Amino acid sequence: MRLLISGWFLQHPATGTGQYAWEILRHLPQARPSWTVGVAVPEGWAGPLPEGVEPVRIRLPRLPSDFQKLWFEQIALPGAAARWRAERLFVPYWAPPLRAPAPTIVTVHDLIPLRFPEYRATFAARLYTALVTAATPGAAHILTDSEASRRDLLQRFRLPPERVTAVPLGVSERFTPRPDPVGDARARNRYDLPPAYVLYLGGFDRRKNIETLLAVYTWAQDAIGENFPLVIAGRLPEGSSRLFVDPRPLARAWGIEAVVRTIGPVAEEDKPALYRGASAFLYPSRYEGFGLPVLEAMACGVPVVASEIPALVELVGDAAYLIPPEDARGMAGALIAVLVDSTLGQTLRERGLRRAAAFTWVACARRTAEILEGAGPV
């Protein structure tokens, strides 16, 4: 079979969608060695590709960045599929073309733009959301990351259940509890990490619930702040807005600046070391399609305190301490318990490692290949 995959997000490897696209590209040729796998990428992109994947380069017109992406997805990608004689077109994020020359399979990781109005506040965002929403029912099959997201999709689009499949993501082999003395020391020095800390690694958009993340330390700082400061990793926004929350002004206003450290963006190769060095991982998100950072933390043997939301309940089972996302006081109590009760902390480490071992990119690619094979015209 000739399979063409949209590679737009390979330009953004630090995003969850970029990681998903890369891992699927890496493992699909192994799952189906007889397939010819191509990936459509903008002409100027010169990044590496996994072995067995053929680049299909697309020249982009001079347009604003938002409209470049739209042109790539709706016009250039179907055209490339036709020229390349693709038998299946796979879009590993929520952007199916309205029309395509081959059955299209799309992965809808979550329905954030539909559930949260602030994500479609601009005209361009509303236009894009309306377009992909209209195109989605025309896909031959829809993949999503969790049963929680599958329920959202079935409710919103009223699709036949047999055309929507939850295929859990995997965790890279890089995320392991085994120490890497050189890499761990390099990361500790590069980010000036304290001897012990609680880690948050993720985004700063509103659904990530940065207010509760910081509010936890207004309750917990006297008990654990000095010994376990909160390290916040990720590219910080330039001030708070309707869509993003800058944690620094809140930390100052709430009197916890001394126990909160922001370290900015983290290189992909340093993430396992940051997890391994943490005494706990704190993740109070209000909504997730899956929760990849939680899985990465568990795979590194870090006890997790996170929000009790459907996708995370499904992901962690009994391997994390879950608290309702708006209950900062309850989350503070859970975090303190994990840090001071060595038996509880060790139990969560062991359960997390066992749970994370069940999520592999090999299994994700094999199940994805089965769906791609079976998907025919709508």
Side-chain angles (χ1 to χ4, degrees), residues 183-195:
D184 292 357
R186 179 191 62 207
R188 187 169 293 279
N189 292 331
R190 178 177 292 176
Y191 304 102
D192 191 24
L193 297 173

Side-chain angles (χ1 to χ4, degrees), residues 27-360:
H27 289 93
L28 262 182
Q30 301 168 24
R32 293 295 187 273
S34 63
W35 288 8
T36 301
V37 178
V39 58
V41 293
E43 190 175 57
W45 184 78
L49 287 176
E51 186 177 350
V53 176
E54 176 183 331
V56 178
R57 302 197 180 277
I58 292 174
R59 178 173 293 180
L60 297 177
R62 293 183 179 276
L63 293 169
S65 58
D66 287 345
F67 290 98
Q68 263 196 349
K69 182 173 181 289
L70 187 65
W71 189 90
F72 177 92
E73 294 159 353
Q74 296 297 325
I75 298 174
L77 185 61
R83 292 191 302 274
W84 199 70
R85 304 187 311 280
E87 296 171 85
R88 297 287 189 278
L89 177 61
F90 180 33
V91 183
Y93 61 101
W94 191 20
L98 279 165
R99 300 185 66 183
T104 300
I105 298 85
V106 59
T107 299
V108 181
H109 296 285
D110 52 59
L111 292 181
I112 289 168
L114 297 183
R115 295 193 53 154
F116 299 92
E118 57 267 31
Y119 287 80
R120 54 180 194 276
T122 66
F123 173 73
R126 289 193 297 273
L127 175 66
Y128 187 85
T129 301
L131 180 60
V132 298
T133 299
T136 297
H141 206 96
I142 299 168
L143 302 179
T144 190
D145 301 342
S146 64
E147 290 295 338
S149 288
R150 182 174 182 269
R151 289 191 296 270
D152 285 349
L153 277 161
L154 291 175
Q155 182 178 10
R156 177 62 178 81
F157 289 101
R158 304 186 185 280
L159 294 162
E162 63 272 15
R163 281 178 53 204
V164 185
T165 304
V167 180
L169 307 186
V171 62
S172 170
E173 304 88 343
R174 298 182 297 117
F175 296 98
T176 168
R178 293 189 297 275
D180 172 6
V182 174
D184 292 357
R186 179 191 62 207
R188 187 169 293 279
N189 292 331
R190 178 177 292 176
Y191 304 102
D192 191 24
L193 297 173
Y197 56 91
V198 172
L199 178 65
Y200 170 79
L201 194 160
F204 298 92
D205 47 310
R206 291 282 173 179
R207 72 182 172 93
K208 294 297 187 180
N209 203 9
I210 299 302
E211 298 94 338
T212 294
L213 177 76
L214 293 171
V216 166
Y217 265 71
T218 66
W219 292 99
Q221 69 168 328
D222 291 342
I224 62 170
E226 183 177 341
N227 294 321
F228 301 98
L230 175 63
V231 169
I232 298 177
R235 187 176 299 280
L236 293 162
E238 296 180 2
S240 295
S241 64
R242 182 175 180 178
L243 189 55
F244 296 99
V245 176
D246 187 337
R248 294 165 292 188
L250 282 180
R252 288 193 297 269
W254 292 352
I256 56 172
E257 190 175 17
V259 296
V260 174
R261 302 190 186 187
T262 55
I263 63 173
V266 174
E268 280 299 306
E269 64 268 22
D270 291 332
K271 284 183 178 179
L274 251 72
Y275 284 122
R276 279 194 294 267
S279 300
F281 185 67
L282 183 58
Y283 201 74
S285 178
R286 293 188 178 99
Y287 176 78
E288 295 288 327
F290 184 74
L292 194 56
V294 169
L295 179 59
E296 291 169 349
M298 291 193 301
C300 289
V302 184
V304 171
V305 176
S307 48
E308 191 177 23
I309 56 175
L312 294 185
V313 170
E314 180 182 335
L315 172 62
V316 306
D318 66 351
Y321 208 142
L322 300 182
I323 302 291
E326 306 305 330
D327 185 2
R329 184 166 66 94
M331 208 167 283
L335 183 62
I336 292 167
V338 166
L339 292 172
V340 303
D341 184 338
S342 58
T343 300
L344 174 60
Q346 185 60 28
T347 297
L348 291 181
R349 286 186 187 92
E350 293 171 357
R351 289 180 179 176
L353 286 168
R354 286 197 299 270
R355 184 69 175 170
F359 296 86
T360 69

